[in-house]
Amino acid sequence: MSATTPPDRARLFALLGRLAPLIFLLALVIIFASLQPRFLMPLNLFNILRQVSIYGIIAVGMTFVILIRGIDLSVGALVAMSGLCAAVIARGGIEGRLVLSADGSGFSWQLAALAAILAGSAAGLLQGMAVAWLSVPAFVVTLGGMTVFRGLALSIGNGGPISGFDEAFGWWGRGMIGPVPVPVLIFAAVAAIAWVVLTQTRFGRAVYAVGSNPEAARLSGINVSGVTIAVYGLIGFCSGLGGFVLASRLNSAEAVAGTGYELTAIAAVVIGGTSLQGGTGGVGGTVIGALLTGVLLNGLVILNVSPYTQQVLVGLIIVAAVAFDHFIKRQSR
Amino acid sequence: MSATTPPDRARLFALLGRLAPLIFLLALVIIFASLQPRFLMPLNLFNILRQVSIYGIIAVGMTFVILIRGIDLSVGALVAMSGLCAAVIARGGIEGRLVLSADGSGFSWQLAALAAILAGSAAGLLQGMAVAWLSVPAFVVTLGGMTVFRGLALSIGNGGPISGFDEAFGWWGRGMIGPVPVPVLIFAAVAAIAWVVLTQTRFGRAVYAVGSNPEAARLSGINVSGVTIAVYGLIGFCSGLGGFVLASRLNSAEAVAGTGYELTAIAAVVIGGTSLQGGTGGVGGTVIGALLTGVLLNGLVILNVSPYTQQVLVGLIIVAAVAFDHFIKRQSR
Amino acid sequence: MTSASSLGGVAQAGAGPDNGPAHEFFVPAPHEPAGSAPAPAFGPVILEAEGLVRRFFGVTVLDGVSLSLAAGEVRALLGENGAGKSTMINLLSGVHQPDGGQLRLDGSPVRFARPLDADHAGISVIRQELSLFPDLSVAEAIFAGHLPLNRFGLVDWPRMRRAASAALSQLAPDIDINAPVASLSIARQQMVEIARALTRKARVVIMDEPTASLSPNEVAHLGRIIADLSREGVAVLYVSHRLDEIRAFCQTYTVLRDGKAVAGGRVADTDIPALIRAMAGREIAAAQKAPPAPVADQGTGEPLLQIRHLASPQGLRGGQRVKDVSFALRQGEILGLAGIVGAGRTETARMIFGLDPVGQGEIRLFGQPVRFASPAAAIAAGIGYVPEDRKGLSLLPGRSVHENFALTGAVPARFGRNDRRAEARLLAGFWQKLGIRAASPGAAITTLSGGNQQKVILARWIALKPKLLIIDEPTRGIDVGAKEDVHALIREIAASGVAVLLISSDLPEVMSLSHRIITLREGVTSSDQPAAGITAEALMTHMTRHA
Amino acid sequence: AEPKGKDAEVTILVSPLTFAFPHFVFLTDELKAEAEALGGVTINVADGQLSAPKQIADIEAAIVQGVDGIILAPVEADALAPVVQQAIDAGITVVTIDRPVNGVPDVLANVSADNFKGAEAQGEAVVRAFPDGATIVNLQGIPGDKTANDRSGGAHKVLDAAGGKYVFVAEQAGNFSRDKGLEVTENILTGLAEVPQVIIAGNDDMALGAAQAVEARGLAGKVAIYGYDGSEEALKAVKSGTLAATVDQFPGLQGRTAVKTLVDYVREGTRPASSEVLVAPVAITADTLDQAERVGLIGE
Ligand SMILES: Nc1ncnc2c1ncn2[C@@H]1O[C@H](COP(=O)(O)OP(=O)(O)OP(=O)(O)O)[C@@H](O)[C@H]1O
Ligand SMILES: Nc1ncnc2c1ncn2[C@@H]1O[C@H](COP(=O)(O)OP(=O)(O)OP(=O)(O)O)[C@@H](O)[C@H]1O
Ligand SMILES: [Mg+2]
Ligand SMILES: [Mg+2]
């Protein structure tokens, strides 16, 4: 009957809608490349990739959170806290305040990484429970979490940095496999796994269902609280991993690390076309979004744009990117 | 007819729900007072009032924004930018870069205030248009605005502060009327006006309608875009006013002023019981919420709690406050 | 012809092809419960409620209600708006927990702490308020929460799609299972909701007003489906305010009044007036008999609204829904707009009201060509619109009844301040006239029963005193008694000179209220004639038969 | 690298901690002025924004651009080391200002006035003014920030060493900002049973905020307030007696020296006498005002 959809055509437009962020990214790359050819040097491209990889990992976790209509402002603080946890383990204690290993030497990177990831995940799960069970809005819970975990990070390192780790530890942030920096590979792996989970598993689809209509999700027998807690645990995990990689990259962990990562990560997710209303979007877009922010920051520096002007441009371009995305999507209705 | 509710009882519960933040505030006051009697010194109480007044003014504007399901992350930057605008006018230019007045002397506080408020309102209206017409989520628009306006603030002051204004200018931030600091009176006035607008006027009712169900509001002939733009213009106005009062208070304006005000303001609104889903809440609660945060920061310093621990406590107590509010509200269902 | 027979026959239509010749719909109903070929010897009792009590704000909404559902039984749950039907269902399906009484499953006591528990117990529910996933595809929405897995433990998309089309094939084969649910009409969403409940292979299926916005032949399909379920030994609890459906589909019934079960038994042993009496506890003027009031200026002068060859723009999803609609509407006239689901009625209304862009064609108001850019403009020009999607387009959740009523600003502000007292006075009038049941004007709208919400929304628009009022499904979810109040109200405003465009899937309603009736078929006006002496058969032919 | 030859074009990236601190704004301006004077020198600036990753990214970008030299104030001594090494390996000359990076011997020079030393100077000034002890309020900068820690740490080192007569009655974070400094001081003053004799602040902004709180309480002159940075406003305040002292790290001198050292090396290959060009911070009091770098700006 007439009132049915010509699927192919509809799908074409839907596709275009999904591609909007990519188009914008390419445009940006072309502009920078034409203004400064050195921008395209492999070295620079890998720099960009390495630079985005850490908050990229977090942005992947943030995608889940935003898909269920949540938000997490605590990730930056979590990066700092978990990074310090890893550092304490790797150093075998805190100078003059805490000795963990008998001979005062540090522990292996495995234990350090584990510490970071456990710390992050635990913190995330706790926040998830507050959101799910106390029904406190995620914005508030994680705003609180942000200051709480900063506070904890400060008390762990007593305000100062903890630095100097062994080679094995450092490899995860500074190592290379062929021409590719390790953090980039970690980011890629995390993104790939997240993609499979979101598109191919019941949990992933439950995430979309909860984001699209929590009440209906509950009525159709989905364990909404469970999904919520899991999702916040998941971004906690990503933050912990990010914290470990960052500490390894900087060969040092400090309480002020990761400041502002929350906003960068959220920006990446939204630029990638995931809606803050939840229910629509995905990891693919987030990767594009992360790259876009990375390209932006790198390109403006490469072009010697003055710092003040840079801030203005970054703000404008981010808004433009999202506006473009929404414009395309509207056209395809 | 049995299937109706005895209004009195329903109203009682509703009332209790509205009072929850107040109850929490009183509890906090009692705790601090018992730990440190000097907390109740009139002087200290007025200090608290003066300290909350500036972000209180902004929180009032933020109430409107959150009532229509929006959010504004740019207020801190706007405070800095508009403060600097006022400073430039009051000094009649920028040392060695810009001379506005013929004789190089500054202009009156009226002009300075006007400059700040115009700058703030204009910025707000622009963001409102982006939200309403480009249908870019408020979170993104104002996140962009945050960096844009910081950037502009930095370029105005060239990174440095602009200081030293005349008495009349200073009165608005440091003056007293009787025992009451002027900023407190400004805050009170702003809150009172906002209360009338929200509860007594068509516009106020439209704000609630748009927040509760934008589709229904539009279908009932409410100009949703208009309301949205107006609301962001309004918080721009508040930020401009706040920027002026802050500059007057510090006898100096700088680009880093107001950092983090956005989160403090949002926290105040949510603690006050306004829902981030929009449609429910009000200015009364916001005033309580602002006082609560003020009391918290003041009390912890008075008790000389270490900065690290303070952060932890602030986070936990904010979450507790909102959890308590939601708990009470749930009971009344 | 009587409305009873007009829909009573619906069950029979089950036998016929989906859109076979029209007369098949109107064989008078046999007076034994339809669908159950062998006389109803029910299987063992599956679900049993005993003395259920539920309070809200300490107000008793359900007061010791008992009912049982046996395998193969189709039981009607009847009652006025606010009687407690949906609440009862919420208790049976674990949405709320009873404050008293108990549930028994297969004879042994159970407690449903969450909807999930009821789901595991094989109870599936079609909710009164649609609860679908706007962003998900139709196929996924149908299986949400129970997605089929392949042997790798991953979601089996192909299988899911196949099953989804199968589930919809009977009811609405034209729905694109890959389209997002949000793009479907209320009616279609209701069909998706039905399909969802059916794919659960449940032992108990509960339907809360599933036909509220369905038109006769969808109802017919549903009738056949219910008959099949009962034959397969599934127990069905069926809620509807359309009593002819009850007679056609159900074998047993339970009547709720003010939270108490006041009557029950075999449908065959009772009749509609008796049921109405039981629900209302008083005598109600037999439904839909009053003749329409004469029109002020019949035939003479410029029509108030004139639509010529109206068409919606070519859309991407679902193509062009309105293709060629023309009609004229005069002051004081009630124009019935009939059509099956997807015919283009709602879209026509939306275009007139400035909600959707107009493709081609012209709209003349008082002879002046108009195209409204926004509802605000349409309202300013004296048009009102009561949409069919109450939850999505009308209610302000979390706001009071008063504010929901005052939304359109029927009462002008005084010195810039809202005149709450005048508003309250106006509301009180409608409250009494429509018999609205709610705690108080201060109560949150969402605590009202579906029907009472609808009354408040109607009042909102009538209070605005429009010159033209478009009403899409005016009595959706409203009980028989209240329906009369609403009909009387519509006649009254028409008599006062308001032109009414009445969109309804309830044919008897259209026929009894309208002066003229036009029918839409796939976006084209297929007939336009005076209501006097028109038969439902004729209408159905124009609505369905391909010329 | 080969000397590029006299008056060859030189491009330099300057990456200070952050432009949110006037200290670095002034440093950069002076540095630019010197570059102007030298001629043929292009200065690109990047804002460190107090973030190690940001600064690393900026330097990586500069390497890609192929600048001749980098002048940076490392946000984090260890974190910046690898990228600095990378720059040097790429043939770029690096000079650090304000503070060194750890474990990169090939850095041409470290032109720094150690914050820790400066804070010691601040502490010594207190000891000189209050030989027989004092009650002290300590306003710290952003919690966890290196500058904040060094400045608080230096003062503590001196005053704690001077024995029990110096008591820290309150220590709070003022986040280097004037409004927070003012607010926190107000609260501390009400919290304390008796007025403290001394307030030391991690920067001039907080000190000036504290001064306002003190004045508002009608305690002007009763509390000695020590700032840090030698900013124009602070010097005025020292002159007028509102502040007891401020610490000058001579950012201008640092900037000028850094750029000169770097350009000389890039052009002629001349290394500085020592790779450690230490600028000794000085506590500026009313009677040593003339030693302040920016004293010229405040006029008579
Ligand atoms: N969540 C709630 N809070 C308060 N009161 C409620 C709530 N839900 C239902 N009620 C009240 O319970 C009574 C019964 O409501 P219910 O929805 O069961 O009626 P219903 O029989 O389904 O009516 P309808 O035919 O209009 O759907 C109504 O008076 C309603 O106001
Ligand atoms: N075949 C379809 N597929 C997807 N969406 C549809 C289809 N038919 C209708 N719709 C949606 O339903 C809305 C109303 O459609 P339409 O006006 O055709 O229904 P109607 O004639 O009002 O009948 P009803 O109101 O009973 O659905 C339209 O806005 C359209 O988006
Ligand atoms: Mg109901
Ligand atoms: Mg319709």
Side-chain angles (χ1 to χ4, degrees):
Chain A
M1 96 153 218
S2 75
T4 49
T5 328
D8 43 359
R9 185 159 169 213
R11 240 180 253 115
L12 175 81
F13 271 82
L15 183 75
L16 199 66
R18 271 205 303 287
L19 286 185
L22 185 57
I23 298 169
F24 198 93
L25 172 61
L26 293 179
L28 213 53
V29 169
I30 292 168
I31 292 170
F32 284 137
S34 53
L35 291 174
Q36 168 60 281
R38 291 163 153 282
F39 175 82
L40 286 182
M41 283 169 59
L43 172 67
N44 192 49
L45 299 182
F46 280 119
N47 280 345
I48 296 177
L49 285 174
R50 202 198 293 102
Q51 288 156 17
V52 301
S53 52
I54 288 171
Y55 62 80
I57 294 170
I58 295 160
V60 169
M62 191 67 79
T63 312
F64 285 76
V65 175
I66 291 180
L67 276 174
I68 62 166
R69 298 188 189 181
I71 191 156
D72 191 338
L73 301 174
S74 71
V75 287
L78 272 182
V79 165
M81 185 181 84
S82 46
L84 278 159
C85 293
V88 170
I89 299 300
R91 304 283 301 175
I94 307 170
E95 243 101 308
R97 291 195 300 142
L98 171 70
V99 179
L100 294 173
S101 65
D103 57 352
S105 78
F107 297 100
S108 69
W109 68 264
Q110 289 89 336
L111 281 177
L114 193 67
I117 289 171
L118 284 183
S121 310
L125 286 171
L126 277 176
Q127 296 190 99
M129 293 174 193
V131 174
W133 292 342
L134 307 184
S135 74
V136 181
F139 194 99
V140 178
V141 171
T142 57
L143 178 58
M146 174 173 162
T147 68
V148 171
F149 301 131
R150 268 296 162 215
L152 292 178
L154 285 163
S155 355
I156 294 176
N158 191 22
I162 302 181
S163 319
F165 314 117
D166 58 30
E167 270 318 300
F169 188 105
W171 182 79
W172 292 93
R174 274 169 283 141
M176 296 272 196
I177 294 181
V180 190
V182 175
V184 178
L185 296 172
I186 301 176
F187 175 31
V190 171
I193 296 170
W195 182 84
V196 173
V197 171
L198 273 181
T199 56
Q200 305 298 324
T201 68
R202 276 191 179 161
F203 172 71
R205 301 321 295 174
V207 166
Y208 280 92
V210 170
S212 179
N213 182 348
E215 191 45 37
R218 191 167 147 273
L219 291 178
S220 34
I222 293 173
N223 179 347
V224 176
S225 310
V227 170
T228 306
I229 294 171
V231 163
Y232 282 92
L234 215 136
I235 192 168
F237 173 94
C238 293
S239 310
L241 182 58
F244 168 69
V245 177
L246 184 62
S248 151
R249 171 104 207 276
L250 302 179
N251 186 29
S252 149
E254 52 178 345
V256 290
T259 317
Y261 274 27
E262 51 279 359
L263 296 184
T264 323
I266 295 170
V269 174
V270 178
I271 292 171
T274 297
S275 152
L276 288 162
Q277 266 66 48
T280 56
V283 165
T286 299
V287 173
I288 307 276
L291 290 175
L292 200 148
T293 38
V295 164
L296 194 53
L297 296 172
N298 171 282
L300 292 174
V301 176
I302 294 257
L303 297 178
N304 299 327
V305 179
S306 96
Y308 305 159
T309 323
Q310 264 185 48
Q311 291 203 27
V312 176
L313 288 178
V314 170
L316 292 177
I317 295 176
I318 286 182
V319 175
V322 178
F324 178 72
D325 182 37
H326 281 251
F327 177 76
I328 297 286
K329 288 223 177 77
R330 248 204 320 296
Q331 295 315 303
S332 63
R333 285 257 151 43
Chain B
M1 212 273 315
S2 86
T4 57
T5 327
D8 47 354
R9 178 145 179 210
R11 240 184 255 111
L12 177 79
F13 274 108
L15 183 73
L16 201 65
R18 271 204 303 288
L19 287 187
L22 186 56
I23 299 168
F24 198 93
L25 171 61
L26 293 180
L28 213 54
V29 169
I30 292 168
I31 294 171
F32 282 134
S34 54
L35 290 173
Q36 168 58 284
R38 324 176 104 267
F39 174 84
L40 286 182
M41 285 168 56
L43 173 69
N44 189 48
L45 298 183
F46 278 120
N47 276 345
I48 296 178
L49 285 173
R50 201 198 291 101
Q51 287 161 12
V52 301
S53 54
I54 286 167
Y55 59 74
I57 293 169
I58 295 160
V60 170
M62 191 68 78
T63 312
F64 284 78
V65 174
I66 291 180
L67 276 175
I68 63 165
R69 298 189 188 177
I71 192 154
D72 191 339
L73 301 174
S74 71
V75 288
L78 272 182
V79 165
M81 186 181 85
S82 46
L84 278 159
C85 292
V88 170
I89 298 300
R91 305 281 302 173
I94 308 170
E95 237 105 307
R97 294 193 297 139
L98 169 70
V99 180
L100 293 174
S101 63
D103 57 352
S105 78
F107 296 100
S108 68
W109 67 266
Q110 290 90 336
L111 280 177
L114 193 68
I117 288 170
L118 284 182
S121 309
L125 287 171
L126 277 175
Q127 297 191 100
M129 293 173 193
V131 174
W133 293 341
L134 307 183
S135 74
V136 180
F139 194 98
V140 178
V141 171
T142 58
L143 179 58
M146 173 172 162
T147 66
V148 170
F149 301 132
R150 274 284 169 218
L152 292 177
L154 282 164
S155 11
I156 294 175
N158 187 24
I162 302 182
S163 321
F165 314 118
D166 58 31
E167 269 319 300
F169 188 106
W171 182 80
W172 293 92
R174 273 166 287 152
M176 295 272 197
I177 294 181
V180 190
V182 175
V184 178
L185 296 172
I186 301 176
F187 175 31
V190 171
I193 296 168
W195 183 83
V196 173
V197 171
L198 271 182
T199 55
Q200 309 291 317
T201 69
R202 273 287 128 88
F203 176 71
R205 191 174 266 169
V207 166
Y208 280 102
V210 170
S212 170
N213 183 348
E215 281 303 302
R218 170 150 178 280
L219 194 140
S220 312
I222 289 173
N223 178 348
V224 175
S225 309
V227 171
T228 306
I229 295 173
V231 164
Y232 283 91
L234 215 137
I235 192 168
F237 174 93
C238 293
S239 310
L241 181 58
F244 168 69
V245 176
L246 183 63
S248 152
R249 170 107 208 271
L250 301 176
N251 187 31
S252 150
E254 51 182 340
V256 292
T259 318
Y261 275 26
E262 50 278 2
L263 296 184
T264 322
I266 295 169
V269 174
V270 179
I271 293 171
T274 297
S275 153
L276 287 161
Q277 264 64 49
T280 53
V283 167
T286 299
V287 173
I288 308 278
L291 290 176
L292 199 147
T293 38
V295 165
L296 195 53
L297 296 173
N298 171 281
L300 291 173
V301 172
I302 288 212
L303 298 177
N304 197 20
V305 178
S306 98
Y308 305 163
T309 323
Q310 262 184 52
Q311 294 203 20
V312 178
L313 290 177
V314 169
L316 290 177
I317 295 176
I318 285 182
V319 175
V322 177
F324 178 72
D325 182 35
H326 281 252
F327 177 74
I328 296 285
K329 286 218 177 81
R330 240 196 338 291
Q331 293 317 299
S332 65
R333 286 256 146 37
Chain C
M1 69 169 299
T2 75
S3 54
S5 63
S6 81
L7 272 150
V10 158
Q12 290 290 301
D18 289 19
N19 48 11
H23 69 264
E24 285 215 23
F25 291 94
F26 298 99
V27 180
H31 259 263
E32 99 251 348
S36 54
F42 303 136
V45 170
I46 302 176
L47 185 64
E48 204 174 356
E50 189 176 301
L52 289 189
V53 177
R54 172 68 192 184
R55 302 188 189 80
F56 289 107
F57 295 116
V59 178
T60 312
V61 162
L62 281 182
D63 190 358
V65 178
S66 307
L67 65 71
S68 75
L69 290 169
E73 177 179 10
V74 182
R75 175 177 292 275
L77 183 58
L78 302 166
E80 295 189 313
N81 297 130
K85 301 183 295 294
S86 299
T87 306
M88 184 71 192
I89 290 169
N90 288 338
L91 297 188
L92 294 176
S93 59
V95 175
H96 293 153
Q97 282 63 45
D99 300 317
Q102 75 161 206
L103 291 174
R104 267 193 242 91
L105 186 69
D106 302 319
S108 47
V110 284
R111 196 172 158 285
F112 298 144
R114 307 167 294 162
L116 186 54
D117 302 342
D119 185 272
H120 287 328
I123 300 172
S124 79
V125 183
I126 299 167
R127 308 272 164 198
Q128 176 174 20
E129 285 305 346
L130 295 168
S131 56
L132 286 167
F133 304 92
D135 310 295
L136 301 189
S137 72
V138 169
E140 191 174 356
I142 288 176
F143 286 94
H146 313 89
L147 299 175
L149 298 182
N150 60 23
R151 65 179 184 292
F152 310 111
L154 300 178
V155 175
D156 189 341
W157 293 103
R159 192 163 117 229
M160 188 187 81
R161 294 214 182 80
R162 262 181 274 113
S165 339
L168 282 170
S169 58
Q170 270 187 311
L171 210 51
D174 65 295
I175 293 182
D176 169 12
I177 60 163
N178 296 316
V181 170
S183 73
L184 299 185
S185 71
I186 288 299
R188 279 192 169 69
Q189 291 187 20
Q190 190 131 46
M191 295 189 237
V192 174
E193 186 98 16
I194 292 170
R196 178 156 142 234
L198 298 180
T199 51
R200 300 288 308 112
K201 297 275 160 284
R203 304 171 58 207
V204 179
V205 176
I206 302 177
M207 306 185 176
D208 195 352
E209 304 192 27
T211 53
S213 56
L214 294 192
S215 43
N217 55 346
E218 287 81 29
V219 177
H221 293 311
L222 184 61
R224 181 178 50 192
I225 291 170
I226 293 177
D228 296 346
L229 287 173
S230 131
R231 219 174 283 112
E232 293 156 15
V234 175
V236 179
L237 183 63
Y238 189 86
V239 175
S240 174
H241 291 296
R242 300 187 182 176
L243 297 178
D244 3 37
E245 291 173 13
I246 303 300
R247 286 166 43 84
F249 304 163
C250 307
Q251 301 130 10
T252 56
Y253 69 95
T254 301
V255 177
L256 293 184
R257 191 196 316 148
D258 296 344
K260 294 190 195 59
V262 293
R266 285 176 49 89
V267 173
D269 309 342
T270 179
D271 61 1
I272 290 188
L275 289 177
I276 295 179
R277 235 177 286 112
M279 292 195 291
R282 64 186 195 282
E283 206 57 53
I284 297 268
Q288 298 133 358
K289 284 281 171 286
V295 177
D297 64 340
Q298 190 56 278
T300 66
E302 185 72 45
L304 184 147
L305 175 71
Q306 174 94 53
I307 303 294
R308 286 214 192 84
H309 307 298
L310 189 67
S312 53
Q314 268 294 344
L316 279 162
R317 288 209 167 284
Q320 187 184 30
R321 202 145 297 112
V322 177
K323 299 191 184 61
D324 180 3
V325 173
S326 307
F327 61 83
L329 174 52
R330 303 179 176 284
Q331 232 188 358
E333 183 178 26
I334 302 176
L335 179 64
L337 185 45
I340 63 166
V341 168
R345 298 164 297 169
T346 295
E347 293 235 314
T348 305
R350 289 175 61 91
M351 280 190 278
I352 297 171
F353 194 61
L355 268 167
D356 289 345
V358 175
Q360 296 99 36
E362 78 169 357
I363 305 171
R364 286 178 171 274
L365 196 65
F366 296 110
Q368 300 309 316
V370 289
R371 276 194 188 186
F372 300 116
S374 73
I379 292 171
I383 306 181
Y385 175 47
V386 182
E388 65 180 329
D389 181 358
R390 190 193 306 137
K391 193 177 182 186
L393 299 178
S394 289
L395 295 183
L396 300 182
R399 308 308 299 165
S400 67
V401 171
H402 181 110
E403 282 198 44
N404 271 273
F405 168 73
L407 178 62
T408 43
V411 179
R414 288 169 69 250
F415 318 116
R417 290 173 82 248
N418 301 326
D419 188 346
R420 288 192 75 87
R421 209 180 282 95
E423 287 167 355
R425 249 183 274 112
L426 192 56
L427 174 56
F430 286 102
W431 196 283
Q432 181 268 339
K433 182 178 280 165
L434 294 174
I436 294 174
R437 285 190 182 186
S440 73
I445 189 82
T446 39
T447 64
L448 270 62
S449 76
N452 284 300
Q453 294 175 354
Q454 182 70 9
K455 295 179 193 172
V456 175
I457 301 306
L458 269 170
R460 167 198 290 176
W461 285 104
I462 295 170
L464 201 52
K465 295 202 171 57
K467 297 192 195 67
L468 163 63
L469 184 59
I470 306 171
I471 313 180
D472 202 344
E473 311 292 358
T475 53
R476 179 166 166 244
I478 289 196
D479 67 49
V480 270
K483 207 169 193 169
E484 280 316 295
D485 305 338
V486 171
H487 287 174
L489 192 68
I490 292 176
R491 289 200 186 85
E492 183 184 318
I493 60 172
S496 73
V498 177
V500 177
L501 181 56
L502 173 70
I503 303 175
S504 173
S505 301
D506 182 349
L507 276 190
E509 177 170 271
V510 177
M511 291 190 294
S512 66
L513 271 182
S514 315
H515 299 102
R516 300 181 63 76
I517 299 179
I518 67 166
T519 56
L520 294 197
R521 187 201 306 136
E522 288 176 17
V524 181
T525 24
S526 54
S527 76
D528 182 344
Q529 54 205 306
I534 195 171
T535 66
E537 291 90 338
L539 279 180
M540 283 304 294
T541 325
H542 293 303
M543 285 158 59
T544 55
R545 161 86 63 48
H546 290 257
Chain D
E2 278 307 293
K4 288 183 80 175
K6 211 166 181 322
D7 51 60
E9 281 299 324
V10 182
T11 314
I12 300 173
L13 172 82
V14 179
S15 169
L17 283 188
T18 167
F19 285 114
F21 298 168
H23 174 80
F24 287 103
V25 177
F26 182 74
L27 184 153
T28 312
D29 292 348
E30 290 289 300
L31 187 153
K32 282 186 180 151
E34 178 70 15
E36 197 62 35
L38 290 169
V41 181
T42 322
I43 300 291
N44 306 336
V45 288
D47 188 347
Q49 294 178 358
L50 291 175
S51 150
K54 169 79 163 74
Q55 209 171 22
I56 293 175
D58 293 343
I59 293 172
E60 285 175 340
I63 297 172
V64 170
Q65 290 174 308
V67 296
D68 303 294
I70 296 174
I71 299 175
L72 87 149
V75 171
E76 221 280 22
D78 295 282
L80 270 292
V83 73
V84 166
Q85 188 59 58
Q86 190 189 339
I88 292 170
D89 299 343
I92 299 173
T93 314
V94 178
V95 172
T96 54
I97 45 173
D98 192 66
R99 55 178 80 165
V101 286
N102 285 356
V104 186
D106 301 341
V107 171
L108 175 67
N110 170 41
V111 184
S112 74
D114 189 325
N115 282 302
F116 198 91
K117 288 207 170 57
E120 289 176 354
Q122 191 184 42
E124 281 149 8
V126 173
V127 174
R128 255 183 269 110
F130 297 83
D132 34 16
T135 52
I136 304 169
V137 168
N138 180 11
L139 296 182
Q140 299 160 328
I142 298 165
D145 173 69
K146 181 167 195 312
T147 312
N149 295 340
D150 289 353
R151 292 184 176 180
S152 173
H156 256 287
K157 179 160 176 274
V158 172
L159 292 164
D160 296 350
K165 37 195 207 312
Y166 297 96
V167 196
F168 284 85
V169 290
E171 301 195 75
Q172 291 292 338
N175 298 359
F176 285 137
S177 86
R178 196 177 298 208
D179 53 343
K180 200 90 176 74
L182 166 55
E183 189 176 311
V184 168
T185 311
E186 280 178 342
N187 297 343
I188 291 174
L189 289 178
T190 26
L192 293 174
E194 76 238 17
V195 183
Q197 295 160 280
V198 175
I199 297 178
I200 59 172
N203 75 348
D204 286 336
D205 257 342
M206 292 191 290
L208 291 162
Q212 282 185 27
V214 168
E215 188 184 350
R217 280 291 290 275
L219 298 172
K222 296 194 182 63
V223 185
I225 305 171
Y226 292 75
Y228 197 119
D229 275 344
S231 72
E232 184 183 342
E233 265 185 287
L235 294 175
K236 284 198 189 119
V238 170
K239 191 172 181 192
S240 69
T242 320
L243 293 189
T246 179
V247 177
D248 199 339
Q249 298 197 135
F250 307 99
L253 177 62
Q254 289 182 54
R256 292 177 178 281
T257 321
V259 70
K260 181 121 188 34
T261 319
L262 192 146
V263 171
D264 287 351
Y265 179 76
V266 171
R267 283 184 175 157
E268 286 139 52
T270 50
R271 290 184 160 277
S274 146
S275 71
E276 279 294 319
V277 187
L278 280 189
V279 178
V282 176
I284 306 291
T285 58
D287 31 338
T288 57
L289 260 177
D290 48 350
Q291 297 178 22
E293 186 168 52
R294 274 163 278 187
V295 67
L297 298 175
I298 65 171
E300 288 321 301

